[in-house]
Amino acid sequence: MKIFLIGYMGSGKSSAGARIARKLGFDFIDLDEAFEQRFRRSVADHIVEAGEDDFRLKEEELLEQLSSLKKDLVISTGGGTPCFSDNIDLINRCGISVYLEMHPKSLAMRLENVKAERPLLRTLPGESLIEKVERHLDQRRVFYEKALITVKGENLDITALVEKIREMT
Ligand code: S3P
C-alpha cells in the first residue's frame, strides 16, 4: 500500500507524511529529499542549473521507481509532481492520494520566509507573493482535485485522516 501526499508548496506535505507513516507503521519518503540524495544537488539548484524541464523528467522517473517498490510507503511529493506528465494518474493507480488543501493566504504566509529556496515562486513585476500563489494554484487545482481524499491543511487532524485512510484500505 502507498499513500501519496500532494498539495502546493508550503502546505505541510512532508511533516504530515512523516506523522501518517509513523501512525501506520509505514516507511516515509520525501520525494524532494530522495531526488537530492540521488542527484547530489538540491532541487532548487537543479532547477536553476539544469532547467525545470529536466527536473520534471527526473522527478517523474523517480516517482515511477518509488511507486513500483514492493513495500508499504508514505510518499510526500513536490508541489508540482502531480501536475506534470501523467503523474496524478500514476499516483492514483498505485495508491491513495491525499490533497492537503490550504488557503492561498496561509500558503503565502508560510512561504514568505522560504521563498528563496523555491525557484518557481518568482513573482512577476509588481506581483505580490499571494497573487503569485493564487495564480499558480488556479493552474494546479485541477490536478490536486483528482486526489482520492482532500483535507484542509490548516489545523490538520492526523488521527482522523489516518482513520479515513484505514477505511479505504
Ligand atoms: C515545486 C515544489 C517543491 C520542489 C520544487 C518544485 C513545485 O517541493 O519539488 O521546488 O513545482 O511546486 P515542495 O512542495 O516540497 O516545496
Side-chain angles (χ1 to χ4, degrees), residues 8-11 101-112 129-130 133 153-155:
Y8 200 75
M9 291 172 255
S11 58
E101 186 184 30
M102 219 184 242
H103 196 281
K105 256 191 217 146
S106 325
L107 291 170
M109 256 164 39
R110 284 164 156 233
L111 289 167
E112 188 56 51
L129 182 59
I130 183 159
V133 171
E154 296 102 347
N155 310 314

Side-chain angles (χ1 to χ4, degrees), residues 7-10 13-14 30 32 43-44 47 52 55-56 59 77-81 84 117-120 136 140 144:
Y8 200 75
M9 291 172 255
K13 301 178 292 287
S14 304
D30 179 279
D32 283 339
V43 167
I47 292 176
E52 185 182 352
F55 168 65
R56 295 301 172 196
E59 178 185 47
T77 63
T81 314
F84 290 85
E117 300 139 40
R118 304 293 199 289
L120 301 180
H136 213 186
R140 291 182 163 188
Y144 295 150

Side-chain angles (χ1 to χ4, degrees), residues 16 29 31 37-38 55-56 66 75 83 89-90 93 103 109-110 114 123-124 134 147-148 152 156 165 168:
I29 296 180
L31 192 63
Q37 281 167 12
R38 169 83 53 98
F55 168 65
R56 295 301 172 196
L66 297 178
I75 299 174
C83 313
D89 299 324
L90 171 79
R93 271 199 312 278
H103 196 281
M109 256 164 39
R110 284 164 156 233
V114 293
T123 51
L124 296 174
E134 278 169 349
L148 205 59
K152 296 263 178 244
L156 181 64
I165 291 171
M168 292 191 163

Side-chain angles (χ1 to χ4, degrees), residues 28-165:
F28 169 67
I29 296 180
D30 179 279
L31 192 63
D32 283 339
E33 270 178 28
F35 184 99
E36 294 182 353
Q37 281 167 12
R38 169 83 53 98
F39 298 102
R40 295 174 189 283
R41 157 150 94 164
S42 77
V43 167
D45 286 350
H46 192 94
I47 292 176
V48 170
E49 288 158 24
E52 185 182 352
D53 290 352
D54 187 79
F55 168 65
R56 295 301 172 196
L57 283 175
K58 292 186 163 61
E59 178 185 47
E60 179 188 358
E61 203 180 294
L62 195 54
L63 177 72
E64 281 170 1
Q65 287 169 6
L66 297 178
S67 302
S68 67
L69 293 176
K70 299 267 171 285
K71 62 192 289 195
D72 292 329
L73 281 178
V74 177
I75 299 174
S76 68
T77 63
T81 314
C83 313
F84 290 85
S85 204
D86 292 327
N87 291 346
I88 187 62
D89 299 324
L90 171 79
I91 286 171
N92 282 333
R93 271 199 312 278
C94 296
I96 295 177
S97 47
V98 179
Y99 171 29
L100 294 189
E101 186 184 30
M102 219 184 242
H103 196 281
K105 256 191 217 146
S106 325
L107 291 170
M109 256 164 39
R110 284 164 156 233
L111 289 167
E112 188 56 51
N113 300 323
V114 293
K115 62 184 180 195
E117 300 139 40
R118 304 293 199 289
L120 301 180
L121 280 181
R122 245 173 279 119
T123 51
L124 296 174
E127 187 184 44
S128 64
L129 182 59
I130 183 159
E131 285 165 339
K132 163 73 200 189
V133 171
E134 278 169 349
R135 186 163 59 81
H136 213 186
L137 252 185
D138 282 344
Q139 297 162 1
R140 291 182 163 188
R141 203 169 276 121
V142 58
F143 300 98
Y144 295 150
E145 288 181 348
K146 287 192 177 178
L148 205 59
I149 299 175
T150 297
V151 285
K152 296 263 178 244
E154 296 102 347
N155 310 314
L156 181 64
D157 182 343
I158 290 284
T159 308
L161 175 55
V162 167
E163 239 358 90
K164 213 180 243 184
I165 291 171

